[in-house]
Amino acid sequence: MRSVSVQLGVRPEHVRLSAALPEGEDSGYTAAVVQMKEETGADSYVYLLAGDTRVIARTDPESAYQPEEQAAFGFQMDKIHLFDESSGVSLRREQA
């Protein structure tokens, strides 16, 4: 079996945010720090940093996320996309 390096793609609207890391090992959330919040009218975009990984989440403009605060994020797993890192080709899931 050949190993492939992959790159994860997730749209900002498919990132779930939490003000704190939910309890439980299987929560699926990762701790992060808010870098900035961009308000664009009907939506806001929260820019997060987890280690050296940057994530952008779309959220309600009324959300209280502020720079330098702790937050947590997770993904809607049925919405993620995987790409072959060397070629950029999508690794689509087989349809059942």
Side-chain angles (χ1 to χ4, degrees):
M1 181 183 243
R2 172 176 89 96
S3 69
V4 175
S5 292
V6 297
Q7 194 165 46
L8 175 68
V10 182
R11 294 179 186 268
E13 60 268 26
H14 300 140
V15 177
R16 301 177 311 217
L17 286 178
S18 176
L21 193 59
E23 290 189 33
E25 231 175 86
D26 298 331
S27 72
Y29 281 78
T30 300
V33 175
V34 176
Q35 291 188 298
M36 67 175 275
K37 180 179 174 185
E38 178 182 16
E39 297 182 7
T40 62
D43 297 309
S44 289
Y45 292 88
V46 177
Y47 293 74
L48 305 155
L49 189 62
D52 61 354
T53 301
R54 293 175 141 189
V55 175
I56 302 171
R58 186 174 79 182
T59 189
D60 183 300
E62 303 294 323
S63 67
Y65 298 101
Q66 297 299 320
E68 305 303 318
E69 289 183 347
Q70 294 293 313
F73 68 91
F75 302 127
Q76 292 179 14
M77 296 306 289
D78 61 330
K79 302 291 186 180
I80 67 168
H81 303 277
L82 297 176
F83 300 90
D84 181 309
E85 191 169 55
S86 62
S87 69
V89 172
S90 174
L91 304 173
R92 295 183 180 259
R93 290 175 276 194
E94 294 296 321
Q95 298 295 320

